[in-house]
Amino acid sequence: MAYNVKLDIFEGPLALLLYLIKKNRVDIYDIPISTITEQYLEYLEVMRSMNLDVAGEFLLMASTLLHIKSKLLLPPQDSEEEPEEEDPREELVRKLIEYQRFKLAAEELIKRRLLGRDVFKRRNTSFLDGLKEEDQTIEIEDLSIMELISAFKEILKRLPEDTQGLEFTVDRFRVTDRINSILEVLSEERSVRFDELFIPTAPRGEIIVTFLAILELARLKMIRINQTTDGIIRLYRADREENRDGEEPETTH
Amino acid sequence: MEKNLKPLIEALIFVSEQPLSLNRIAALIEDTPREEIRNALKELVEDYQKEDRGLYLEEVAGGWQIRTRAEYAPWIKRLFKLGPQKISKPALEVLSIVAYRQPITRAEIESIRGVDCAGVIKTLLEKNLIKIAGRKDAPGRPAMYGTTREFLEVFGLKDLSSLPTLKEMEELEKTIKDELDAEGTTPEDNSTGRDNIPQEGGGTDT
Amino acid sequence: MEKNLKPLIEALIFVSEQPLSLNRIAALIEDTPREEIRNALKELVEDYQKEDRGLYLEEVAGGWQIRTRAEYAPWIKRLFKLGPQKISKPALEVLSIVAYRQPITRAEIESIRGVDCAGVIKTLLEKNLIKIAGRKDAPGRPAMYGTTREFLEVFGLKDLSSLPTLKEMEELEKTIKDELDAEGTTPEDNSTGRDNIPQEGGGTDT
């Protein structure tokens, strides 16, 4: 049985593009379309190779990018007298800027003193209403799925070129199996490095299964994934509640 | 009576489950000019600002609330043995789109994010951070979403107009651009007309 | 750290649902001698004893708790009576239908409002503004709703007969009867009467 991973943690094609723009340190108002398109397609390929449920939006964006690219390649047509000829990238840039605004707004929001995370109100003992959600603290998941795929791409690159057959079906059983073995590792260790979970000599299929297992664990919120400033990605078991940042008066044991 | 205004207000805010608005306070304390209540509140805020307090008084979600200071969160979490409730990046993004653009339909949110948002919207509804704020007068009468009072409370916002303003956002953008521009390639000024994206959410507060 | 002991303790006692014992506090704040905690508590009690406070710190049931001072009880009672939660427009509508037409089934309410009321009824039940006042002698024995004593209290009504004018009530009663008759036994005489639902019903300004 083919195993299709549906990921609602995906941030969509615009997020991927912004990610690539940032990663390449290019100007959003002057996107080098060829480079970005190429990388974008590489990502899609990686996702598809894992049977990740690549949403139609991703494919649509791919064709938009290719379309813009071809338009840019065309020599400026006879309309030489029109310097204000619209840049084919303009519409895309506009969308990216708009989306980026909200991404920023979201980052600002989460920086506020949040009720239930940073500040607390009095808990009423007797009155109506009952329990409220805010009794829980709110955290943001730091790592973007893009970065995870990016890291995975690196791992794939390191593999020997032998099995380039990207068409590959993964069965649920093997993913579940791998999920269990990762959890087992995490029950002994507090955390584990992302790249250490992949054995370089393992068959490609095995490696993909491992990655799918990680994604699934993240989706089920059974693990936390963090990236340190030096780019190392680590997985933590979610239920062992260690507060994420070191500044806590933390539990002994 | 007048002499006791401040402690009375303190007691009321303390017991209230929800942020207590000036109106509400005024309704409870009869025959007291609003001005006096306002002054008492101001004094109270100052009292709570003293250095050795663990609490502070803040105006959130249209009312006044006593809260613990952020620096004591670690111990409080310990007291409650709180586990973090994660909010995903996509969820946070949708939340901020709703916050700035409300009322907004799912299709509109999706056109901004460029990706399906059904699951995320459901989560936010369950967390009571957004609500259905009406229905659009369009085929199918799609639901329009808005933020809730809980949203304001959780994010410590007085009202929707206290969301970071456009100007602040633009500055942020500039900072980021500057960072990127370390590379070179100066941006031509083709900043498209749509500058004011996160508008200060139209006063839908219900 | 030591300097922050008092505010930390204040924050902890404030958020705790139950009185917080010295042991508990000591367990939460590691590496702090009990003596210091005891001293901080003592200081805190003194702070709260200041004249212009509405709260005080007391040792009750084996722990420390912040409470409102007794002299403010009348206002606090009032605060709770007024019902801190806002009541939604639909809820208010259903409430006034129930008030005027009780006892009334959900189906009857829905036939008046022309819209599903299950959620709203649940809310009103939870808020204790309406109650199940009996069961209709009809298939399925549907619940019939009526208003509660709290309803009267919240809306400042002496009794149900203090609802907006008697004349209106009488008209309404007739309408109710007509409508109920129309629904139950008599087939088709007048399904009208959905025009004069009292609008001024219970002036909640929240």
Side-chain angles (χ1 to χ4, degrees):
Chain A
M1 167 173 63
Y3 185 59
N4 255 337
V5 182
K6 167 91 183 165
L7 285 173
D8 40 13
I9 41 181
F10 266 121
E11 295 167 86
L14 290 173
L16 176 50
L17 277 181
L18 281 180
Y19 172 73
L20 293 175
I21 286 166
K22 202 174 152 200
K23 199 175 172 214
N24 287 286
R25 303 178 69 78
V26 294
D27 179 10
I28 193 167
Y29 290 101
D30 189 19
I31 302 170
I33 284 289
S34 323
T35 319
I36 297 294
T37 303
E38 196 181 303
Q39 294 184 12
Y40 182 91
L41 293 176
E42 272 174 32
Y43 270 81
L44 281 206
E45 202 44 47
V46 174
M47 291 188 215
R48 285 217 308 222
S49 74
M50 294 178 296
N51 283 19
L52 284 187
D53 194 1
V54 176
E57 298 98 346
F58 280 93
L59 304 178
L60 194 67
M61 179 58 77
S63 68
T64 304
L65 286 170
L66 289 170
H67 180 69
I68 293 174
K69 190 176 155 190
S70 68
K71 262 187 133 177
L72 282 172
L73 286 176
L74 287 178
Q77 287 185 331
D78 31 53
S79 56
E80 278 165 14
E81 297 310 308
E82 273 183 76
E84 286 312 310
E85 169 77 25
E86 192 181 288
D87 189 325
R89 297 171 296 183
E90 190 172 315
E91 168 67 12
L92 181 62
V93 168
R94 193 188 59 71
K95 287 201 91 153
L96 282 170
I97 297 277
E98 184 184 30
Y99 175 57
Q100 183 179 255
R101 284 232 162 101
F102 288 109
K103 271 187 94 76
L104 284 173
E107 282 162 27
E108 283 309 289
L109 268 186
I110 204 72
K111 275 191 226 148
R112 300 182 61 85
R113 281 187 304 205
L114 298 193
L115 184 68
R117 182 186 71 180
D118 309 309
V119 300
F120 296 83
K121 64 178 187 180
R122 190 173 143 263
R123 291 198 173 187
N124 282 54
T125 41
S126 53
F127 277 90
L128 311 163
D129 270 67
L131 298 173
K132 284 225 176 108
E133 270 311 303
E134 71 218 16
D135 290 347
Q136 312 235 292
T137 60
I138 293 178
E139 310 261 332
I140 178 133
E141 286 159 8
D142 290 322
L143 193 76
S144 131
I145 210 74
M146 304 301 171
E147 281 166 73
L148 209 56
I149 290 176
S150 194
F152 183 59
K153 245 177 73 187
E154 291 309 306
I155 285 164
L156 281 184
K157 263 191 207 156
R158 277 188 251 137
L159 291 182
E161 288 286 307
D162 58 8
T163 30
Q164 272 305 35
L166 280 184
E167 254 356 280
F168 173 79
T169 47
V170 185
D171 64 66
R172 178 172 294 278
F173 173 72
R174 287 168 66 200
V175 175
T176 312
D177 226 30
R178 193 71 186 115
I179 284 176
N180 288 333
S181 69
I182 292 173
L183 284 178
E184 217 166 278
V185 172
L186 282 175
S187 69
E188 284 154 23
E189 308 287 329
R190 198 175 149 261
S191 71
V192 63
R193 270 179 70 149
F194 175 75
D195 51 1
E196 281 172 0
L197 287 170
F198 301 92
I199 305 148
T201 53
R204 192 183 187 84
E206 220 32 65
I207 288 189
I208 290 174
V209 166
T210 299
F211 187 61
L212 289 176
I214 293 170
L215 289 180
E216 197 63 12
L217 281 165
R219 193 175 68 86
L220 297 171
K221 302 194 187 330
M222 294 171 79
I223 56 170
R224 280 183 302 127
I225 306 176
N226 268 330
Q227 188 169 28
T228 52
T229 38
D230 49 354
I232 293 171
I233 297 175
R234 300 194 77 89
L235 317 186
Y236 301 80
R237 225 175 61 179
D239 54 0
R240 181 186 296 190
E241 190 24 53
E242 228 86 351
N243 292 299
R244 69 211 185 290
D245 26 20
E247 39 101 60
E248 316 281 341
E250 221 14 75
T251 40
T252 46
H253 72 246
Chain B
M1 165 61 67
E2 208 180 292
K3 219 188 77 195
N4 289 325
L5 196 54
K6 197 170 74 173
L8 170 54
I9 292 172
E10 185 184 28
L12 286 172
I13 293 174
F14 173 81
V15 293
S16 175
E17 276 165 285
Q18 286 169 12
L20 207 58
S21 68
L22 182 69
N23 279 345
R24 201 74 205 291
I25 296 171
L28 286 164
I29 311 172
E30 282 161 357
D31 304 324
T32 307
R34 246 145 226 262
E35 207 37 47
E36 268 179 51
I37 296 175
R38 229 186 299 262
N39 286 339
L41 266 168
K42 218 175 113 191
E43 269 181 61
L44 206 53
V45 169
E46 279 159 20
D47 289 352
Y48 272 80
Q49 262 163 5
K50 277 182 200 148
E51 245 185 43
D52 62 343
R53 297 299 308 265
L55 312 171
Y56 69 105
L57 194 60
E58 194 175 40
E59 198 175 2
V60 282
W64 294 89
Q65 193 168 59
I66 302 175
R67 303 180 155 206
T68 60
R69 292 203 190 180
E71 57 256 55
Y72 305 114
W75 290 271
I76 291 165
K77 282 184 193 165
R78 222 158 146 191
L79 171 68
F80 291 145
K81 296 202 180 77
L82 284 181
Q85 183 194 36
K86 294 247 165 94
I87 186 164
S88 68
K89 260 192 192 161
L92 192 61
E93 269 175 43
V94 169
L95 186 59
S96 74
I97 292 171
V98 173
Y100 281 96
R101 285 283 179 88
Q102 57 191 294
I104 185 171
T105 66
R106 184 179 128 196
E108 286 157 359
I109 299 169
E110 286 174 350
S111 99
I112 291 172
R113 290 195 65 230
V115 68
D116 179 86
C117 299
V120 173
I121 288 173
K122 196 169 150 260
T123 309
L124 290 172
L125 283 169
E126 281 165 6
K127 292 194 177 173
N128 212 9
L129 291 169
I130 65 171
K131 66 183 174 199
I132 294 178
R135 302 222 161 243
K136 190 164 182 170
D137 206 0
R141 304 203 18 88
M144 299 200 294
Y145 300 97
T147 50
T148 58
R149 197 187 52 75
E150 271 82 357
F151 163 76
L152 294 176
E153 241 189 280
V154 168
F155 287 86
L157 295 161
K158 219 167 93 176
D159 48 40
L160 283 174
S161 65
S162 332
L163 282 166
T165 67
L166 177 63
K167 217 172 272 171
E168 290 164 46
M169 294 300 302
E170 270 174 354
E171 272 161 31
L172 254 167
E173 263 168 44
K174 244 188 45 203
T175 325
I176 289 167
K177 249 176 69 183
D178 289 349
E179 250 170 54
L180 292 178
D181 286 350
E183 171 123 350
T185 38
T186 25
E188 334 255 326
D189 93 310
N190 39 5
S191 47
T192 48
R194 184 127 317 185
D195 268 297
N196 36 1
I197 295 318
Q199 298 137 343
E200 305 189 17
T204 9
D205 42 0
T206 65
Chain C
M1 165 62 67
E2 207 181 294
K3 220 187 76 195
N4 290 326
L5 196 55
K6 197 172 72 174
L8 169 54
I9 292 172
E10 184 184 28
L12 287 172
I13 293 175
F14 171 80
V15 293
S16 176
E17 278 161 289
Q18 281 157 20
L20 208 58
S21 68
L22 183 68
N23 278 345
R24 196 78 201 288
I25 296 172
L28 287 165
I29 312 172
E30 281 162 357
D31 304 326
T32 307
R34 246 146 226 263
E35 206 38 47
E36 267 179 51
I37 295 174
R38 229 186 299 263
N39 285 338
L41 267 168
K42 217 175 114 190
E43 269 182 60
L44 208 51
V45 170
E46 279 160 20
D47 289 352
Y48 272 81
Q49 262 162 7
K50 277 182 199 150
E51 243 184 46
D52 62 343
R53 297 299 308 266
L55 313 170
Y56 69 105
L57 194 61
E58 195 176 38
E59 199 172 2
V60 282
W64 294 89
Q65 195 168 54
I66 300 174
R67 306 182 148 205
T68 57
R69 292 203 189 177
E71 58 256 55
Y72 305 113
W75 289 270
I76 289 163
K77 281 188 192 151
R78 220 156 141 194
L79 170 69
F80 287 132
K81 231 179 253 173
L82 288 175
Q85 311 95 334
K86 282 195 184 147
I87 186 161
S88 71
K89 255 199 193 140
L92 193 59
E93 254 176 60
V94 169
L95 186 59
S96 69
I97 290 169
V98 173
Y100 281 94
R101 305 223 167 153
Q102 57 190 299
I104 185 170
T105 66
R106 185 178 127 196
E108 287 157 0
I109 298 170
E110 285 173 352
S111 97
I112 292 172
R113 291 193 66 228
V115 67
D116 179 87
C117 299
V120 173
I121 288 174
K122 197 168 150 260
T123 310
L124 290 172
L125 283 168
E126 280 166 5
K127 291 194 176 172
N128 213 10
L129 291 169
I130 64 172
K131 65 185 176 198
I132 294 177
R135 300 220 163 246
K136 189 165 181 171
D137 206 0
R141 300 197 30 82
M144 298 199 294
Y145 300 98
T147 51
T148 59
R149 198 184 49 77
E150 272 83 356
F151 163 77
L152 295 175
E153 256 186 70
V154 168
F155 289 85
L157 295 164
K158 227 168 82 184
D159 46 42
L160 280 176
S161 65
S162 329
L163 280 163
T165 76
L166 187 61
K167 217 172 275 173
E168 275 176 35
M169 281 294 285
E170 273 169 0
E171 270 163 31
L172 266 162
E173 258 163 43
K174 235 177 66 190
T175 325
I176 295 166
K177 257 178 71 183
D178 289 349
E179 220 169 75
L180 290 183
D181 287 348
E183 186 175 313
T185 41
T186 25
E188 89 246 41
D189 33 19
N190 52 359
S191 49
T192 45
R194 62 185 50 184
D195 33 290
N196 45 359
I197 294 157
Q199 316 242 309
E200 63 275 67
T204 24
D205 46 359
T206 59

